[in-house]
Amino acid sequence: MQSSLEMRLDMLEDQLEQAQAERRRAEATQVKYDRMAEELETNRQEDCRTIKMLEELLESLETKAESYKSQAEEAREVADRNLNLFRRKQQELEEMEIKAREAEEELAKIKVQR
């Protein structure tokens, strides 16, 4: 009976040691996964900050692009007005040159007649 109890005790001690070893492995695994979870959370927070910064940068660039587009449109309109004004003045100059030439010819005819 004694040996049966000793065997049973040895068996229970072995099971206890196995359970304790399993518990240590599980705790080590838990610590490992806790560290991984903390690292992932830190990465997530950093990613959120980076995304927010990039969104702000994108918004700023979109605002600048709209501003530049507006300025380009205004510059195009000014250039069109200036080109039209130049063409009108060029035409007026040509008309005035024709009138001046005609007036000079008329003056020359009048001088010849006198």
Side-chain angles (χ1 to χ4, degrees):
M1 178 94 173
Q2 180 82 14
S3 82
S4 169
L5 290 175
E6 287 178 4
M7 285 176 47
R8 175 86 173 129
L9 180 61
D10 287 341
M11 184 181 73
L12 290 173
E13 285 176 349
D14 286 343
Q15 286 178 350
L16 176 63
E17 286 176 16
Q18 289 175 358
Q20 287 173 340
E22 181 63 30
R23 181 172 180 243
R24 283 190 298 274
R25 285 192 298 272
E27 286 175 347
T29 302
Q30 180 66 39
V31 168
K32 175 183 170 184
Y33 288 136
D34 286 346
R35 273 193 234 120
M36 287 174 60
E38 288 175 16
E39 183 179 333
L40 289 172
E41 178 62 21
T42 301
N43 289 344
R44 186 194 67 78
Q45 290 173 353
E46 183 62 31
D47 288 347
C48 286
R49 284 190 293 271
T50 301
I51 288 169
K52 183 178 178 183
M53 182 188 68
L54 290 173
E55 286 172 344
E56 290 170 356
L57 179 61
L58 176 63
E59 184 178 323
S60 171
L61 292 174
E62 286 173 342
T63 301
K64 284 183 181 180
E66 285 298 317
S67 173
Y68 293 153
K69 183 178 177 182
S70 174
Q71 289 175 3
E73 180 64 25
E74 289 174 15
R76 187 192 61 76
E77 290 172 2
V78 168
D80 287 345
R81 280 194 305 267
N82 287 342
L83 183 58
N84 288 335
L85 178 63
F86 172 77
R87 288 178 180 157
R88 270 197 331 268
K89 295 302 178 183
Q90 181 80 21
Q91 185 177 1
E92 289 174 9
L93 176 62
E94 290 172 3
E95 290 172 359
M96 291 300 195
E97 287 174 343
I98 292 171
K99 286 182 182 179
R101 211 176 13 248
E102 290 172 354
E104 287 175 358
E105 290 172 1
E106 188 65 33
L107 182 60
K109 285 181 186 177
I110 292 174
K111 285 184 181 179
V112 168
Q113 288 176 356
R114 286 190 180 179

